[in-house]
Amino acid sequence: MPENQSRPPQPWENGWAPDTSRPPGTRRLYLAGALAVATIVACVTAIAWTDKGPETLSQPSPSGTGTLPGLISFGTPSQPEVTPPKGKSGLTTDEATTSTPRQQGSASPSPAAHPTTKPPSSHPSSSAPRPTTTWRSVRSVNYPDRYWHVSGGYVKLDPVGGSESREDSTFKLVKGLSDSSCYSFATADGQYLRHRNFILVANRNDGSPLFHQDATFCPHASSVPGAIMLESVNYPGRFLRHQNFQLKLDPYQYNDLYRQDSAFRLVAGLA
């Protein structure tokens, strides 16, 4: 190489010295870091806008008729209006609530605003119905002037006599002792009519099942209009009839005399 060829001056030759306080390439590092930060911010912003649904992208204008410019508008379906049912559902009621205005110058509401409830009376009303006891007399169909009558413990068919006879010809009609769908007949002194040896008598109730059955008779329609026949509970097919004016229990017979003798009418008590 020729010795006189020109070459660039070196720093130490012209008096300039390199800056040794900063490592070489620092400016490039600053620029790269700033670019990376800007990229991250842009990504985060894009992700945030993406996570917001169409409800945030479509924002109504202040007038409520459009969307902000530059944003995509998505239609939002309208929600149907729900009307609560009326009635006693806890939501609404058909009854209107009204308030009673206070009288001017009065410190307390009027008595009509707060009615007082009167306590029920401890005494029953005189107009209330009272329980009644059904007292009946039993009249023969073919001997209409004769009625069942207790005499000497037996039940006979006798004509109406004095006051004692009327009382002995009146019976309390109660539900059957052994079958509530049937009848039992009680006397004024607490005895019951029962059959014993198929004869109708008046005895005290001893509480036995046999007594309850003997004192229970079931009504059946008679061939005579308005009359009934009384059948024994524990002897089905046997009906009360009068024979020689004595009340007894006889099996059913297919003849007119039996039908007449076993037909009776329940009438108002004679006593």
Side-chain angles (χ1 to χ4, degrees), residues 142-189:
N142 51 353
Y143 289 91
D145 61 335
R146 290 177 177 261
Y147 297 81
W148 288 11
H149 174 239
V150 179
S151 176
Y154 292 92
V155 182
K156 300 180 179 181
L157 202 61
D158 289 337
V160 178
S163 59
E164 181 180 355
S165 177
R166 287 177 176 270
E167 182 176 329
D168 293 336
S169 298
T170 303
F171 308 97
K172 182 168 64 174
L173 189 66
V174 298
K175 293 181 179 180
L177 297 181
S178 66
D179 188 342
S180 60
S181 64
C182 300
Y183 295 153
S184 288
F185 298 87
T187 63
D189 59 357

Side-chain angles (χ1 to χ4, degrees), residues 185-196:
F185 298 87
T187 63
D189 59 357
Q191 300 186 84
Y192 283 88
L193 305 186
R194 63 170 295 190
H195 67 83
R196 187 176 59 186

Side-chain angles (χ1 to χ4, degrees), residues 158-257:
D158 289 337
V160 178
S163 59
E164 181 180 355
S165 177
R166 287 177 176 270
E167 182 176 329
D168 293 336
S169 298
T170 303
F171 308 97
K172 182 168 64 174
L173 189 66
V174 298
K175 293 181 179 180
L177 297 181
S178 66
D179 188 342
S180 60
S181 64
C182 300
Y183 295 153
S184 288
F185 298 87
T187 63
D189 59 357
Q191 300 186 84
Y192 283 88
L193 305 186
R194 63 170 295 190
H195 67 83
R196 187 176 59 186
N197 298 325
F198 303 124
I199 302 298
L200 192 62
V201 297
N203 283 163
R204 294 285 177 183
N205 183 4
D206 59 8
S208 66
L210 177 61
F211 184 96
H212 289 177
Q213 292 178 1
D214 288 349
T216 302
F217 305 93
C218 297
H220 294 272
S222 170
S223 59
V224 180
I228 61 172
M229 300 175 65
L230 295 168
E231 182 183 22
S232 170
V233 165
N234 50 352
Y235 286 92
R238 285 180 176 261
F239 295 82
L240 288 176
R241 66 168 296 185
H242 67 84
Q243 193 174 38
N244 298 325
F245 302 126
Q246 176 76 52
L247 271 297
K248 57 186 299 187
L249 206 59
D250 265 0
Y252 184 80
Q253 300 175 20
Y254 293 89
N255 57 71
D256 291 337
L257 178 61

Side-chain angles (χ1 to χ4, degrees), residues 3 50 54 83 121 156 161 170 172:
E3 294 179 359
T50 303
T83 303
S121 174
K156 300 180 179 181
T170 303
K172 182 168 64 174

